[in-house]
């Protein structure tokens, strides 16, 4: 895991006795955090803000959370990494050569291969790659310097020396004027771009005789004044002025050391300095004072510094060493650090409290020895000693004197002499020496608070105790209770902070101490804790309370206005030791986890820690001065916080997608484009970062997956989100970030994501299956229809054959009956009627014989034959019944073709079984018409009805069965085809005949 070391820089020499020692905070990143190797060779950033690091094992990319190594570049030291204006990464990799890396897809390509096999030594190595502002790629080996033009894909060689086989390893640097410099082991060279040549300015090949000298150089950098500084082997730090091309050497300060690299930066207080890396450690050089300080924590461990990179966007100096990557955050606006010099007081010492004197000076209470008088303008410290060494809890300005309350007594300061002396009255009135606080009230009375002995009030003129309450009241206050602090309100009311019974005020009129929990306005309200650590005045006469568990804001009357506690709010610690507020009403309070800034309106909390520039996360001393500055006391150090500067808007956090993994494997594609997942890839993990390289706890993320979840989901500090088994559709993933100050990214990061369905779930497949099923249904229906048609045809043929058989049975019987009728006419001497009957009978017989050869007859022919049959039957029965034919004069009706025996059996049945058994008038009606493309034929008689008709077997019933069979066959073709037998009744519901109704589909020949 990461670890942060705060190095107390005890500098070696040449610092005056009262000069302060800066405190720098470094963070180490090693293989424990995922770095491929602790041997860091080179560092750069790409256009997105990712950090690229070349190590002794491989090149990797760092997003503030994860060191990610390219899949195909996991072996081979990387001696150089640089980026061009288009964002392409160039890297020198020992096992490959000169490679380009696509930062979007994290894929690489070798463009100049290292080749040790041939005789050409110029392609053996391509080291220390550097891309200048003209997008020309520079690299070197041990024989020459090389320039590669990516546009023309041409390589140009430059020899640094006329002497053959001389070692010529080189690095590259471009200054602010876009001038390229080559720093080599044989000298300093300038590139003449116009003439495309190198000119030696320092070294054996130098043009000026004064600069001809053997020298080994390593790396160069430029400071804010334009001066170029170069690291040298055995020659220390080289200073070069491009204006007059003069050189100077800092050799004594770096005796017996090889200077490797450096970088201009600032210390914790904003003072300009140079970080100098050597083979043995890290040093600081202040050019304005010409002083060098070697950091013992580096030199004692022999940490070889190899490279530095200034991340100006984030205010971070990255330092590459052989023991890992080191991060120094130099940009901490609004926070200054002042170190206490060892000459001022015996170190280590805690700054426990502070008091603003009437002038500009500040008294700093210490954990031993006494009080430091600090002059902020000159930054000078003077110790005002106590009679005894003791811990200072509080310093108050009382009766024009600073009075210190300590664990060994109360001491009065003499500002003229700069000394403290004991206050005898305190030791006389109290048995305990644990003095915590004191004040002078509006009446001039001197109050002293002792942790265990309670409160005493003294007349400062007579130095005698004043009795403001009975002894029993005082004892009740400290019964199972400790006095932690006291404060006078703007209205003169005295407030008493206790532990563990909360907050009291002294009601002088009633001579009692009132706990605020008993105030009616506080019914149902509670302080965030009852063990109070500090009281302070707030804006508008309010009272601020810091306690174990949280902080509170009260009105001048004691009414609880607002509270923040660890159970309901985002406090990172339960111990709140002190508090103040700003003009905007925000509460500033310190904990063991840094400074918290609570907004009463939004209930949001911001945080200040060592990451933002605090010396430590658990300051002891706490003072807000009149200049809207907050002084924090630490060990050997104080921080000065500019409240207004820290309250201003910070840089809006950035958000970028780091990587995408599909089923646990890296997705190599441009992540700005749509991500398409196949059905078997429905498991995706996305990693993102703010690229501010803050600790994970300082960045907060949230996301919205449009198309799945409309609401924003808070991820907290988690910088990754995973989805599995998403329904197949398109989504838009939006991710936004916020920092420790609550600022959110202006525009969320949007990622297009599409999950492809399985082929069986696609509309194409469903349509195909639907068409296939529809085709099968059509084929089955056609087969069914054809089968039914064939069956119907067979049924019709069978029915026709049976009708023909019926005709063959019926005709002889009909002939026999007809001939009997003729015989009857002759025997009864009615020859004329017999002759007429015989004539009609012969015509009917001839018609039947003609029809017997045709399976279908026109309806007109059927009706003519039927009319002849009914006429003969009427003649035979002596015209006992009357009949009528009502046939629609419709060509479609008359031309329709039907089986010949379709109507005759029902007409015959109506006459024989319906009319003949009846007494009285007998009527037979036969009608036919066209309705809805169907023949509707009706045979109606007014006979006895079916219920009273005599039951006989024979050809009539079989003829009706055949007719029903024909209709069943017709119904397969036309569902409207049917035959209905309707019983007729009179008004008394007695049988009145029968109606046969046939609905026959029209079928033309």
């Amino acid at each position: 895991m990461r670890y942060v070391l705060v190095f107390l820089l005890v500098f070696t020499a040449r610092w005056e006795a009262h000069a302060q020692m800066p405190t720098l905070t470094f963070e180490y990143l090693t293989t424990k955090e995922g770095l491929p190797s602790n041997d860091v060779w080179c560092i750069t950033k790409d256009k997105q803000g990712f950090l690229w690091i070349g190590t002794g094992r491989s090149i990797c990319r760092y997003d503030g959370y994860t060191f990610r190594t390219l899949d195909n570049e996991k072996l081979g030291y990387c001696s150089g990494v640089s980026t061009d204006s288009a964002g392409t990464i160039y890297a020198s990799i020992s096992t490959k050569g000169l490679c380009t890396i696509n930062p979007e897809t994290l894929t690489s390509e070798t463009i100049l291969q290292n080749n040790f096999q041939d005789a050409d030594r110029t392609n053996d190595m391509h080291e220390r790659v550097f891309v200048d502002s003209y997008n020309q790629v520079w690299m070197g080996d041990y024989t020459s310097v090389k320039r590669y033009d990516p546009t023309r894909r041409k390589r140009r060689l430059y020899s640094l020396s006329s002497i053959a086989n001389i070692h010529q390893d080189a690095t590259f640097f471009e200054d602010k004027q876009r001038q390229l410099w080559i720093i080599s082991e044989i000298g300093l060279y300038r590139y003449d771009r116009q003439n495309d040549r190198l000119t030696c300015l320092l070294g054996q090949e130098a043009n000026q005789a004064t600069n001809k000298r053997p020298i080994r150089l390593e790396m160069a950098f430029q400071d804010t004044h334009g001066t170029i500084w170069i690291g040298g082997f055995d020659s220390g730090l080289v200073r070069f002025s491009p204006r007059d091309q003069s050189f100077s050497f800092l050799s004594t300060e770096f005796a017996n050391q090889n200077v490797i690299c450096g970088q201009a930066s600032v210390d914790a207080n904003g003072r300009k300095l140079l970080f100098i890396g050597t083979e043995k450690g890290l040093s600081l050089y202040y050019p304005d004072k010409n002083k060098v300080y070697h950091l013992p924590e580096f030199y004692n461990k022999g940490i070889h510094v190899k490279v530095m990179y200034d991340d100006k966007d984030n205010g971070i100096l990255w330092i590459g060493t052989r023991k890992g990557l080191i991060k120094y955050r130099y940009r901490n606006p609004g926070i200054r650090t002042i170190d206490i010099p060892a000459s001022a007081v015996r170190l280590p010492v805690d700054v426990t409290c502070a008091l603003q004197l009437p002038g500009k000076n500040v008294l700093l209470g210490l954990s031993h020895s006494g009080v430091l008088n600090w002059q902020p303008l000159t930054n000078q410290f003077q110790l005002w000693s106590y009679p005894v060494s003791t811990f200072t809890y509080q310093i108050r300005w009382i009766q024009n004197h600073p009075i210190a309350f300590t664990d060994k007594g109360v001491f009065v300061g003499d500002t003229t002499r700069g000394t403290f002396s004991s206050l005898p009255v305190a030791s006389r009135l109290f048995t305990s020496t644990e003095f915590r606080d004191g004040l002078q009230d509006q009446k001039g009375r001197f109050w002293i608070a002792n942790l265990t002995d309670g409160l005493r009030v003294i007349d400062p003129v007579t130095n005698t105790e004043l009795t403001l309450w009975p002894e029993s009241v005082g004892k009740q206050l400290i019964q199972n209770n400790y006095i932690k602090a006291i404060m006078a309100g703007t209205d003169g009311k005295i407030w008493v902070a206790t532990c563990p019974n909360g907050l009291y005020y002294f009601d002088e009129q009633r001579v009692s101490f009132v706990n605020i929990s008993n105030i009616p306005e506080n019914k149902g309200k509670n302080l965030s804790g009852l063990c109070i650590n500090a009281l302070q005045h707030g804006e508008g006469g309010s009272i601020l309370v810091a306690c174990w568990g949280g902080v509170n804001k009260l009105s001048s009357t004691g009414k609880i206005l607002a509270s923040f506690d660890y159970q309901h709010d985002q406090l990172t610690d339960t111990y709140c030791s002190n508090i103040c507020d700003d003009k905007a009403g925000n509460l500033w309070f310190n904990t063991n986890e840094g400074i918290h800034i609570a907004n009463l309106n939004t209930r949001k909390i911001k945080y200040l820690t060592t990451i933002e520039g605090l010396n430590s996360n658990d300051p002891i001393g706490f003072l807000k001065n009149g200049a809207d500055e907050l002084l924090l006391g630490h060990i050997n150090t104080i921080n000065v916080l500019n409240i207004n500067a820290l309250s201003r808007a910070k840089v809006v956090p950035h958000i970028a997608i780091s990587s995408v993994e599909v089923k646990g494997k890296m997705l190599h594609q441009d992540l700005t484009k749509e991500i398409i997942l196949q059905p078997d890839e429905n498991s995706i993990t996305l990693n993102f970062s703010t690229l501010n390289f803050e600790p994970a706890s300082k960045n907060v993320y949230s996301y919205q997956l449009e198309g799945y979840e409309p609401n924003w989901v808070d991820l907290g500090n988690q910088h990754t989100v995973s989805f599995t088994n998403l329904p197949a559709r398109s989504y838009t993933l939006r991710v936004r970030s916020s920092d420790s100050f609550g600022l959110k990214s202006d525009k969320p990061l949007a990622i297009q994501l599409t999950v492809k369905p399985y082929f069986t779930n696609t509309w194409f497949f469903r349509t195909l299956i639907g068409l296939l099923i529809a085709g099968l249904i059509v084929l089955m229906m056609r087969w069914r229809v054809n089968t039914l048609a064939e069956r119907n045809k067979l049924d019709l043929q069978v029915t026709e054959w049976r009708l023909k058989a019926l005709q063959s049975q019926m005709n002889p019987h009909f002939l026999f009956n007809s001939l009997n009728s003729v015989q009857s006419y002759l025997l009864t001497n009615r020859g004329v009627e017999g002759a007429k009957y015989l004539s009609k009978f012969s015509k009917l017989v001839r018609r039947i014989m003609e029809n017997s050869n045709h399976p279908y007859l026109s309806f007109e022919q059927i009706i003519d034959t039927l009319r002849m049959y009914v006429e003969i039957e009427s003649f035979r029965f002596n015209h006992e019944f009357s009949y009528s034919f009502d046939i629609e004069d419709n060509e479609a009706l008359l031309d329709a073709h039907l089986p010949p025996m379709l109507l005759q059996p029902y007409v015959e049945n109506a006459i024989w079984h319906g009319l003949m058994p009846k007494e009285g008038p007998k009527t037979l009606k036969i009608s036919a018409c066209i309705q809805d493309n169907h023949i509707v034929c009706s045979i109606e008689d007014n006979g006895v009805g079916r219920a009273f008709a005599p039951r006989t077997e024979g050809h009539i019933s079989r003829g009706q069965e055949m007719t029903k069979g024909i209709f069943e066959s017709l119904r397969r073709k036309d569902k409207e085809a049917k035959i209905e037998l309707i019983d007729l009744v009179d008004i008394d519901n007695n049988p009145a005949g029968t109606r046969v109704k046939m609905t026959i589909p029209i079928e033309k020949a």
Side-chain angles (χ1 to χ4, degrees):
M1 62 181 290
R2 298 181 184 174
Y3 55 95
V4 176
L5 297 179
V6 178
F7 296 128
L8 179 62
L9 307 180
V10 183
F11 300 107
T12 52
R14 311 187 59 181
W15 188 274
E16 292 95 340
H18 291 275
Q20 60 182 5
M21 297 180 297
T23 301
L24 304 181
T25 302
F26 296 96
E27 180 181 351
Y28 271 52
L29 301 169
T30 66
T31 53
K32 294 180 179 180
E33 288 72 49
L35 193 65
S37 167
N38 285 337
D39 190 11
V40 178
W41 283 66
C42 50
I43 308 169
T44 193
K45 275 179 64 176
D46 62 20
K47 294 183 70 174
Q48 283 188 281
F50 292 97
L51 196 69
W52 290 82
I53 305 162
T55 73
R57 183 176 180 84
S58 63
I59 188 172
C60 65
R61 192 191 71 174
Y62 182 53
D63 62 1
Y65 299 98
T66 305
F67 293 93
R68 193 170 301 281
T69 304
L70 277 64
D71 290 343
N72 58 345
E73 304 294 350
K74 292 187 176 180
L75 185 62
Y77 74 83
C78 176
S79 63
V81 61
S82 188
T83 179
D84 64 13
S85 60
T88 302
I89 306 296
Y90 287 81
S92 296
I93 299 176
S94 62
T95 56
K96 297 289 186 69
L98 178 62
C99 302
T100 59
I101 300 173
N102 187 329
E104 303 293 343
T105 62
L106 297 185
T107 55
S108 65
E109 178 186 1
T110 303
I111 57 175
L112 294 177
Q113 179 74 44
N114 287 348
N115 188 353
F116 296 92
Q117 306 301 322
D118 59 11
D120 185 4
R121 294 183 60 191
T122 63
N123 63 7
D124 287 355
M125 305 179 71
H126 302 85
E127 299 286 283
R128 307 289 192 116
V129 64
F130 175 81
V131 183
D132 64 22
S133 59
Y134 296 89
N135 287 328
Q136 297 297 295
V137 183
W138 295 85
M139 70 216 86
D141 57 20
Y142 299 126
T143 62
S144 63
V145 170
K146 308 169 187 178
R147 177 174 61 86
Y148 175 73
D149 188 341
T151 304
R152 301 172 58 193
R153 297 186 178 181
K154 297 292 185 179
R155 187 185 64 169
R156 171 86 156 82
L157 302 180
Y158 304 85
S159 178
L160 299 179
S161 175
S162 57
I163 303 175
N165 299 323
I166 190 170
H167 201 273
Q168 303 179 18
D169 187 27
T171 62
F172 307 89
F173 165 72
E174 189 175 45
D175 63 22
K176 297 175 183 178
Q177 288 72 39
R178 302 179 71 187
Q179 175 64 58
L180 182 71
W181 301 88
I182 293 88
I183 302 93
S184 77
E185 292 184 323
I186 60 174
L188 174 65
Y189 291 78
R190 180 177 60 196
Y191 175 57
D192 184 347
R193 199 174 298 274
Q194 184 175 359
N195 298 310
D196 192 21
R197 67 181 183 184
L198 303 181
T199 302
C200 182
L201 300 183
L202 178 65
Q204 293 280 35
E205 305 286 334
N207 294 331
Q208 298 183 16
T210 56
N211 294 334
K212 282 182 176 292
R213 56 177 290 179
I215 191 169
R216 291 181 62 191
L217 303 177
E218 181 62 26
M219 292 184 182
F221 64 95
Q222 191 173 28
D223 64 19
T224 56
H225 300 293
T227 302
I228 295 178
W229 300 85
I230 309 167
F233 286 77
D234 299 326
S235 56
L237 183 64
V238 181
R239 180 185 182 276
F240 170 60
S241 175
R243 297 177 182 176
D244 57 10
Q245 297 189 9
S246 62
F247 293 90
S248 60
F249 300 82
L250 278 75
S251 302
T252 305
E253 292 82 352
F254 295 96
N256 301 318
Q257 295 188 53
N258 294 325
V259 177
I260 306 299
C261 58
Q263 183 62 52
S265 186
V266 295
D267 63 15
N269 292 313
R271 295 192 300 263
K272 293 181 180 180
L273 79 162
L274 304 181
F275 282 83
I276 307 299
T278 73
E279 285 186 329
K280 298 179 180 179
L282 183 66
S283 301
L284 302 182
Y285 174 53
Y286 287 83
D288 57 340
K289 296 183 179 181
N290 194 29
K291 298 184 185 300
V292 176
Y293 312 99
H294 306 297
L295 308 188
E297 292 296 335
F298 281 80
Y299 282 93
N300 291 344
K301 297 177 182 178
I303 298 178
H304 183 153
V305 179
K306 302 185 70 172
V307 67
M308 296 185 191
Y309 178 79
D310 186 11
D311 181 359
K312 294 182 175 63
D313 295 330
N314 294 305
I316 298 173
L317 178 64
W318 297 95
I319 305 172
T321 74
R322 283 189 173 174
K323 292 189 177 181
L325 181 66
I326 299 174
K327 180 171 69 173
Y328 166 62
R329 188 177 294 276
Y330 59 81
R331 186 185 300 157
N332 297 304
I335 300 178
R336 292 187 293 126
T337 301
I338 294 91
D339 299 313
I340 298 174
S343 59
V345 66
R346 176 172 51 87
L347 302 180
V349 65
D350 291 332
V351 179
T352 59
C353 56
L355 171 67
Q356 178 79 57
L357 294 178
K360 296 289 186 178
N361 290 6
V362 177
L363 292 184
L364 304 177
L366 304 177
S367 57
H368 62 74
S369 301
V371 171
L372 279 178
N373 179 22
W374 173 46
Q375 301 177 26
L377 295 180
T378 61
N379 208 32
Q380 296 295 313
F381 296 85
Q382 181 185 10
L383 178 64
W384 294 1
S385 298
Y386 295 149
V388 294
S389 182
T390 181
F391 187 97
T392 307
Y393 286 108
Q394 190 60 267
I395 308 175
R396 298 294 189 186
W397 186 256
I398 298 174
Q399 290 187 329
N400 299 319
H401 290 281
I403 298 182
F405 300 88
T406 75
D407 62 355
K408 291 183 180 180
V410 179
F411 303 100
V412 180
D414 186 337
T415 56
T416 303
R417 297 181 179 181
T419 60
F420 276 86
S421 59
S422 297
L423 182 66
V425 67
S427 57
R428 187 175 73 247
L429 295 177
F430 295 89
T431 59
S432 170
T433 60
E434 288 284 342
F435 295 97
R436 291 304 174 93
D437 206 349
L439 61 84
Q440 183 177 9
D441 64 18
Q442 292 180 350
K443 297 180 180 180
R445 298 173 297 191
F446 181 23
W447 294 62
I448 301 176
N450 186 282
L451 180 69
T452 57
D453 286 356
L455 298 174
R456 296 286 190 272
V457 183
I458 300 170
D459 184 343
V461 177
T462 62
N463 263 349
T464 58
E465 181 180 7
L466 299 175
T467 304
L468 302 185
W469 55 83
E471 184 178 355
S472 59
V473 172
K475 289 184 177 180
Q476 184 179 4
L477 177 65
I478 61 174
Q479 185 177 3
N480 300 321
N481 206 17
Y482 295 104
I483 308 298
K484 299 293 291 293
I486 58 175
M487 186 185 73
T490 56
D491 58 356
K493 189 179 296 183
I494 305 300
W495 296 89
V496 183
T498 74
C499 178
N501 292 337
L503 182 63
Y504 295 81
Y505 69 86
F506 179 59
D507 188 337
E508 191 166 356
Q509 185 176 3
R510 297 183 179 180
V511 193
S512 65
F513 290 92
V514 181
N515 194 301
I516 67 165
S517 61
N518 298 323
I519 298 176
E521 292 92 332
N522 289 334
K523 185 178 181 180
K525 298 180 181 179
N526 295 297
L527 293 174
S528 54
L530 294 178
C531 188
I532 299 176
N533 297 313
L535 297 175
Q536 295 290 353
H537 291 104
E539 295 287 334
S542 60
I543 299 169
L544 307 178
V545 181
C547 54
W548 284 89
V551 294
N552 310 268
K553 181 176 183 178
L554 282 63
S555 70
S556 60
T557 62
K559 178 182 178 181
I560 300 175
L561 301 177
S563 295
F564 284 82
D565 64 76
Y566 73 96
Q567 293 179 315
H568 303 93
D569 302 287
Q570 299 297 318
L571 273 68
T572 58
D573 188 45
T574 60
Y575 178 69
C576 303
S577 59
N578 222 318
I579 186 172
C580 70
D581 63 357
D582 57 28
K583 293 179 180 178
N586 299 314
L587 302 181
W588 296 61
F589 55 97
N590 64 326
T591 71
N592 288 331
E593 294 295 332
I595 298 297
H596 289 44
I597 308 171
N599 187 307
L600 297 180
N601 296 323
T602 64
R603 306 293 301 179
K604 298 290 186 180
I605 298 180
K606 305 173 186 178
Y607 311 95
L608 296 175
T609 65
T610 54
I611 301 303
E612 285 73 34
L614 296 186
N615 180 260
S616 71
N617 286 337
D618 53 350
I620 304 173
F622 190 96
L623 171 68
K624 179 188 175 186
N625 62 22
D628 284 333
E629 291 179 329
L630 180 60
L631 275 64
L632 301 178
H634 306 273
I635 300 176
N636 302 339
T637 305
I638 58 174
N639 282 133
V640 180
L641 279 59
N642 187 319
I643 291 177
N644 294 328
L646 291 169
S647 298
R648 296 189 194 106
K650 299 291 181 178
V651 177
V652 176
H654 178 57
I655 181 71
I657 184 168
S658 301
S659 62
V660 175
E661 297 176 11
V662 178
K663 296 181 69 174
K665 294 183 178 180
M666 180 69 65
L667 179 65
H668 296 288
Q669 75 158 64
D670 187 349
L671 301 180
T672 62
K673 298 180 180 179
E674 182 182 17
I675 299 173
I676 299 177
L677 301 180
Q678 298 303 319
D680 60 342
E681 298 176 335
N682 199 346
S683 176
I684 184 171
T685 299
L686 301 100
N687 302 288
F688 27 82
S689 172
T690 58
L691 297 179
N692 59 8
F693 303 100
E694 295 275 15
S697 61
K698 298 300 177 184
N699 298 314
V700 179
Y701 301 92
S702 59
Y703 77 91
Q704 175 200 51
L705 186 60
E706 183 179 318
Y708 184 80
E709 173 58 57
N711 299 321
W712 283 88
V713 179
D714 290 328
L715 292 173
N717 304 128
Q718 181 179 337
H719 65 99
T720 181
V721 62
S722 298
F723 303 101
T724 57
N725 299 322
L726 287 173
R729 66 169 71 102
S730 294
Y731 303 90
T732 300
L733 175 65
R734 293 185 176 89
V735 183
R736 64 187 180 195
S737 64
S738 58
D739 61 11
S740 59
F741 278 78
L743 293 175
K744 295 182 179 179
S745 46
D746 289 335
K747 186 178 181 181
L749 174 68
I751 303 160
Q752 301 299 322
L753 177 65
T754 297
V755 180
K756 292 289 187 180
Y758 284 99
F759 178 71
T760 54
N761 293 333
T762 61
W763 282 110
F764 176 78
F765 178 79
R766 293 173 179 176
T767 303
L768 186 64
I769 293 298
L771 292 175
L772 181 61
I773 293 174
L776 290 175
I777 292 174
V778 169
L779 289 175
M780 292 178 64
M781 290 180 64
R782 289 178 63 87
W783 176 81
R784 178 67 175 168
V785 169
N786 292 336
T787 302
L788 291 176
E790 290 295 328
R791 180 179 176 184
N792 192 39
K793 184 176 180 181
L794 291 174
D795 289 345
L796 285 174
Q797 288 179 351
V798 171
T799 303
E800 290 169 1
W801 293 337
R802 293 175 68 184
L803 285 173
K804 286 185 177 181
L806 180 63
Q807 283 180 308
S808 66
Q809 296 176 18
M810 180 194 66
N811 291 342
H813 183 72
F814 175 73
L815 292 175
F816 176 77
N817 289 337
S818 298
L819 290 176
N820 281 341
S821 298
V822 173
Q823 182 182 14
S824 175
Y825 281 118
L826 294 177
L827 293 175
T828 56
N829 296 319
R830 291 184 292 170
V832 177
E833 289 85 345
K836 291 181 180 180
Y837 182 85
L838 187 59
S839 173
K840 294 180 183 292
F841 174 71
S842 62
K843 292 179 180 180
L844 177 61
V845 171
R846 185 177 64 184
R847 178 65 61 83
I848 291 173
M849 293 180 67
E850 291 175 352
N851 295 345
S852 63
N853 295 322
H854 302 283
Y856 292 92
L857 298 174
S858 66
F859 191 73
E860 184 179 13
Q861 292 175 311
I862 292 174
I863 292 298
D864 288 345
T865 304
L866 190 61
R867 195 189 303 272
M868 295 174 64
Y869 168 75
V870 172
E871 185 178 356
I872 290 176
E873 290 289 61
S874 175
F875 201 98
R876 187 162 68 89
F877 288 112
N878 295 320
H879 304 288
E880 290 184 15
F881 65 91
S882 61
Y883 61 89
S884 64
F885 284 83
D886 184 10
I887 307 302
E888 181 181 0
D889 188 7
N890 188 317
E891 188 174 336
L893 173 64
L894 299 177
D895 290 342
H897 281 65
L898 301 173
M901 293 298 292
L902 197 61
L903 305 179
Q904 194 273 339
Y906 289 96
V907 173
E908 183 177 354
N909 189 68
I911 296 173
W912 288 12
H913 302 289
L915 297 177
M916 290 301 99
K918 181 186 177 183
E919 299 292 337
K922 305 171 184 177
T923 304
L924 176 64
K925 296 180 182 179
I926 300 172
S927 61
C929 64
I930 295 292
Q931 291 182 6
D932 299 328
N933 205 32
H934 288 77
I935 299 174
V936 179
C937 184
S938 176
I939 303 170
E940 182 179 333
D941 65 77
N942 65 345
V944 297
R946 291 189 299 162
F948 295 97
R951 300 294 180 185
T952 59
E953 299 295 335
H955 67 281
I956 296 177
S957 60
R958 286 196 297 272
Q960 292 177 358
E961 291 176 0
M962 294 302 103
T963 302
K964 291 180 180 179
I966 292 175
F967 272 93
E968 290 177 1
S969 298
L970 292 175
R971 194 175 294 113
R972 296 190 184 103
K973 293 183 178 182
D974 191 333
K975 63 180 180 179
E976 299 295 330
K978 60 183 176 180
I979 181 170
E980 300 176 87
L981 299 179
I982 303 171
D983 295 321
L984 305 178
V985 294
D986 57 14
I987 58 176
D988 297 326
N989 205 29
N990 294 321
T994 304
R995 180 186 300 127
V996 180
K997 184 178 179 181
M998 300 180 184
T999 303
I1000 309 165
I1002 297 176
E1003 183 176 344
K1004 295 183 179 181

